[in-house]
């Protein structure tokens, strides 16, 4: 609890005048009232003790946001969001969490068991009251602290900066200021602009020139990972000739009171640098009737700013009620390369509209898109991708392969490619297939001893194999299990 | 071993099997012959438990146990193996992965320990060598890009590894040249044992020169209309099915 106390003290020292902000807030309770206005934005910034330019940056974003319209082009349906009915800072508990695992939805517990998650972690994921605090206390003695310490020492030796972005604003403000918003501008899109105004926290990574980051960076090791909230902001910079691999997410379905999530991730790769970004997303998809579930409206973009730089996105998307996500690459440097490998699984009433953009600006740039969409239940799964070659992007090349797999006959798969070339030397290839798991295939596997669900999982894992191979080893193993769990009940 | 009594089965409301009875004793190789459309494949699917077939009357008993209420994978674990006429391709799943998944799924159902990886590999190697299945084939996705002969050999390899109580061979000879037919037949013959039975479904007598049956049954219009020894197969080869088709009608 020391960290919270520290924040409180810090905020106090700024001498926030509650009245000045138009509302009365008990600072001790560490929350802001519902709704969004300029004062809330100032409040968030003040809470984090941010430099004046940052406050101004947020306010500019907020003013811009007021003039924008929520996008409607995606193939998703949901009730209109009342943005004034949301909490934007440290949302208080609207309903108390379960007191113990006995009060948690048994369906959720079954999933944890299948994924092989340790008991104590199950409590935290399920939001059992006090579980996180107990864990901190216990792990502080055993593994967490020592692991984190070793980890930090090794990174420091390599000169890699890896910390919460709020901390980076204090310790390396010049780096944050130089790069923040240069890939996803404040004005980019409705949700990104909202995020710019109110983002809570997220990761900051800087890898110095020529350094190969000695380990895969994972949010798991990030200090203060708790309460990054619904508006996460991540900024990763790989300086000249460096390399970094970053893992985001968790295979365990996480209970979260916040329905709307609008994160922004910005990657910058300078000359000869390479960034590999892997995500496994498994947020609560809603119940069997499609109630509840998280809306995931994310803006992820990488800028291959230097010549011969490379950015690779790999994602496994199984959760959320609605996914609206297009990790993209701006191929600015000559001979730079962008990659997008995606597995998007939808079941139940989930809606997925995901894909990528490869914007070829530099000469001899190349990109590769491998997308595997799997739709089951009553879900809708759309791949939406743009490949663009600028007039100056001579010799640009793209290869796109979009495969969709349907399970059952009440789901939908859609492919919406946008391909535009403004110079004659660009070569774009696009392949797309849609297939169904056939009754013949299922029967064949079942005749060999696999249950219907095991057979489906095996066939689906075969279908997504090309992409799974792109994931770091242990992540791939988890993802494989996750795929099996997400498709449960899809065979009837 | 396997006793089928007065079996009636529909697909999409159309009755295909109309009172079929058949008994296969332990160690027996029974051949089922019959014209196109007589219900040969339906018989194999109904015994293996494929969805979509509705059994309206009769019973199928395996080693004293009625299996009609069981799902296909449960019957597989009880020892029923079907070698498919057209083996399915499973893209992206290597043959090794598939074999391990199948063997362990059956073991799990029977409450047995899963195979250790070295033990598994040893078994597969031994069986593959005998059947001329290359290591390269084992690394490829199951049946993807395999020739007709390779697919059939893969079926026999699975049969060897899964050690069934009763193996049903559905038109295993179709699409095979003589060399491939010989390899497949040798594989099957090597598996013959006093406690394993075979149901060899075929349209032509040719296969039965290689897998010599103990009994031959003529299936026509959904029923067994004649049973005999291997000589019956030769007779059919000479005279065709005309007499039996007429009989059934």
């Amino acid at each position: 609890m020391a960290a919270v106390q520290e924040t409180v003290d810090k905020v106090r020292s700024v001498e926030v005048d509650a009245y000045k902000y138009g509302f009365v807030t008990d600072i001790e309770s560490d929350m802001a009232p519902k709704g969004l206005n300029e004062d809330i934005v100032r409040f968030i910034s003040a809470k984090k003790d941010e430099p004046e330019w940052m406050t101004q940056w947020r306010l500019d974003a907020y003013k811009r946001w007021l003039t924008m319209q929520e996008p409607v082009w995606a193939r998703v349906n949901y009730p209109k969001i009342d943005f004034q009915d949301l909490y934007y800072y440290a949302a208080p508990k609207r309903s108390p969490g379960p007191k113990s695992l006995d009060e948690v939805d048994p369906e959720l517990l079954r999933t944890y068991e299948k994924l092989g998650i340790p008991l104590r972690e199950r409590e935290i994921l399920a939001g059992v009251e006090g579980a996180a605090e107990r864990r901190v206390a216990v792990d502080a003695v055993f593994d967490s602290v020592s692991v984190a310490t070793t980890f930090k020492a090794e990174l420091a030796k390599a000169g890699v900066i890896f910390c919460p972005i709020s901390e980076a604003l204090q310790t390396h403000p010049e780096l944050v200021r130089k790069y923040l918003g240069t890939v996803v501008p404040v004005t980019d899109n409705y949700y990104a602009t909202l995020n710019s105004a109110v983002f809570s926290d997220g990761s900051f990574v800087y890898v110095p020139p020529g350094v190969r980051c000695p380990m895969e960076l994972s949010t798991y090791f990030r200090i203060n990972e708790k309460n990054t909230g619904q508006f996460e902001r991540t900024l990763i910079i790989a300086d000249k000739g460096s390399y970094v691999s970053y893992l985001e997410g968790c295979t365990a379905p996480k209970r979260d009171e916040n329905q709307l999530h609008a994160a922004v991730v910005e990657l910058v790769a300078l000359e000869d640098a390479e960034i590999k970004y892997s995500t496994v997303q498994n947020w609560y998809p809603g119940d069997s009737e499609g109630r509840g579930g998280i809306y995931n409206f994310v803006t992820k973009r990488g800028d291959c700013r230097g010549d011969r730089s490379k950015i690779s996105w790999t994602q496994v998307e199984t959760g959320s009620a609605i996914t609206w996500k297009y990790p993209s690459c701006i191929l600015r440097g000559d001979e730079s390369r962008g990659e997008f490998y995606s597995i998007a699984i939808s079941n139940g009433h989930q809606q997925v509209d995901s894909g990528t953009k490869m914007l070829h600006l530099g000469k001899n740039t190349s990109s590769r898109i491998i997308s595997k969409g799997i739709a089951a239940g009553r879900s809708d799964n759309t791949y939406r991708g743009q490949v663009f070659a600028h007039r100056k992007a001579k010799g640009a090349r793209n290869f796109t392969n979009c495969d969709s797999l349907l399970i059952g006959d009440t789901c939908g798969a859609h492919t919406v490619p946008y391909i535009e070339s403004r110079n004659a030397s660009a070569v774009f290839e696009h392949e797309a297939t849609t297939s169904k798991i056939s009754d013949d295939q299922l029967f064949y596997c079942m005749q060999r001893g696999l249950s219907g669900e095991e057979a489906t999982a095996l066939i689906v894992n075969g279908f997504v194999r090309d992409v799974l191979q792109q994931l770091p080893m242990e992540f791939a193993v988890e993802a494989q299990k996750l795929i099996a769990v997400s498709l449960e009940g899809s065979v009837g | 071993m396997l006793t089928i009594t007065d079996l009636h089965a529909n697909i999409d409301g159309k009755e295909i099997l109309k009172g079929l009875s058949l008994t296969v004793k332990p160690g027996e190789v029974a051949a089922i012959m019959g014209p196109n459309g007589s219900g040969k494949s339906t018989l194999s699917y109904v015994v293996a438990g494929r969805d979509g077939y509705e059994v309206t009357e009769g019973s199928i008993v395996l080693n004293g146990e009625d299996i009609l209420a069981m799902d296909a994978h449960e019957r597989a674990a009880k020892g029923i193996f079907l070698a498919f006429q057209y083996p399915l391709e499973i893209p992206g799943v290597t043959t090794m992965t598939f074999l391990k998944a199948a063997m362990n799924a059956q073991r799990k159902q029977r409450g047995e320990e899963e195979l250790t990886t070295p033990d598994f590999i040893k078994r597969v190697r031994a069986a593959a060598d005998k059947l001329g299945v290359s290591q390269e084939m084992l690394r490829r996705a199951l049946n993807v890009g395999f020739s007709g002969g390779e697919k059939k050999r893969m079926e026999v390899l699975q049969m060897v590894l899964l050690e069934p109580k009763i193996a049903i061979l559905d038109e295993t000879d179709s699409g095979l040249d003589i060399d491939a037919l010989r390899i497949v037949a040798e594989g099957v013959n090597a598996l013959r044992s006093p406690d394993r039975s075979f149901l060899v479904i075929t349209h032509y007598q040719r296969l039965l020169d290689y897998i010599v049956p103990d009994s031959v049954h003529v299936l026509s219009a959904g029923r067994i209309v004649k049973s005999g020894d291997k000589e019956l197969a030769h007779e059919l080869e000479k005279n065709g099915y005309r007499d039996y088709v007429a009989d059934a009608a």
Side-chain angles (χ1 to χ4, degrees), chain A residues 243-268:
Chain A
Y243 168 85
V244 62
S245 167
Y246 185 88
L247 313 180
E248 176 204 35
C250 174
T251 49
K254 216 168 170 177
R255 238 181 72 123
D256 196 314
E257 295 292 327
N258 301 313
Q259 189 164 39
L260 172 70
H261 280 244
V264 171
V265 175
E266 296 180 277
L267 312 181
V268 180

Side-chain angles (χ1 to χ4, degrees), chain A residues 45 49-61 165 168-170 172-181 199 235:
Chain A
S45 190
D49 197 13
E50 288 177 349
E52 178 54 32
W53 64 266
M54 191 66 229
T55 313
Q56 203 49 51
W57 197 83
R58 286 178 181 273
L59 285 170
D60 290 347
I165 198 161
L169 272 163
Q170 306 299 327
H172 304 279
E174 72 298 337
L175 276 176
V176 180
R177 190 171 191 179
K178 185 170 170 192
Y179 291 104
L180 188 71
F199 73 82
L235 175 60

Side-chain angles (χ1 to χ4, degrees), chain B residues 6 15 21 34 59 63 72 85 108 128 138 146 148 154 157 160 174 177 187-189 214 231 239 244-245 247:
Chain B
D6 191 29
E15 188 169 62
S21 296
S59 66
N63 288 328
Q85 183 177 4
K108 206 171 76 189
L138 293 172
F146 287 18
M154 196 50 78
L157 175 70
V160 172
S174 70
D177 60 30
V188 171
N189 286 329
D214 299 306
E231 288 311 314
N239 301 332
Y244 303 103
V245 175
D247 272 12

Side-chain angles (χ1 to χ4, degrees), chain A residues 438-441 443-452 454 458-459 461-463 465 492, chain B residues 45 50 73 76 80-82 84 89 91-93 98 101-102 105-106 108-109 143 155 158:
Chain A
S438 70
D439 292 344
D440 287 332
Q441 275 177 321
F443 173 58
Y444 186 74
C445 295
M446 289 178 73
Q447 208 299 305
R448 297 304 185 246
L450 299 163
S451 68
E454 287 169 335
L458 185 77
I459 294 168
N461 269 308
F463 176 73
R465 187 160 172 249
Chain B
Y45 287 154
R50 183 172 186 154
H73 68 287
I80 291 180
F81 181 91
L82 171 61
F84 282 59
E89 300 184 358
V93 177
F98 184 82
Q106 291 202 11
K108 206 171 76 189
Q109 287 189 63
N143 291 330
E155 292 295 285
Q158 293 180 43

Side-chain angles (χ1 to χ4, degrees), chain A residues 457 461-462 464 468 471 475-485, chain B residues 97:
Chain A
N461 269 308
V464 301
L468 277 186
L471 285 172
F475 234 35
V477 174
E478 284 183 42
Q480 218 164 345
K481 269 198 256 175
L482 175 61
I483 289 167
V485 173
Chain B
T97 304

Side-chain angles (χ1 to χ4, degrees), chain B residues 173-225:
Chain B
D173 48 335
S174 70
L176 288 192
D177 60 30
I178 288 294
D179 291 332
L181 186 63
R182 193 172 292 134
I183 293 172
V184 167
E186 277 168 13
V188 171
N189 286 329
L191 278 179
R192 289 177 80 151
S193 86
D195 52 4
R196 179 174 294 130
S197 311
F198 290 85
L199 205 55
V200 182
I201 295 174
T202 183
H203 188 73
Y204 301 106
Q205 196 267 334
R206 186 178 71 155
L207 177 68
L208 304 180
D209 287 340
Y210 296 92
I211 303 172
V212 180
D214 299 306
S215 60
V216 174
H217 309 268
V218 180
L219 177 62
S220 181
R223 293 194 301 131
I224 300 293
V225 292

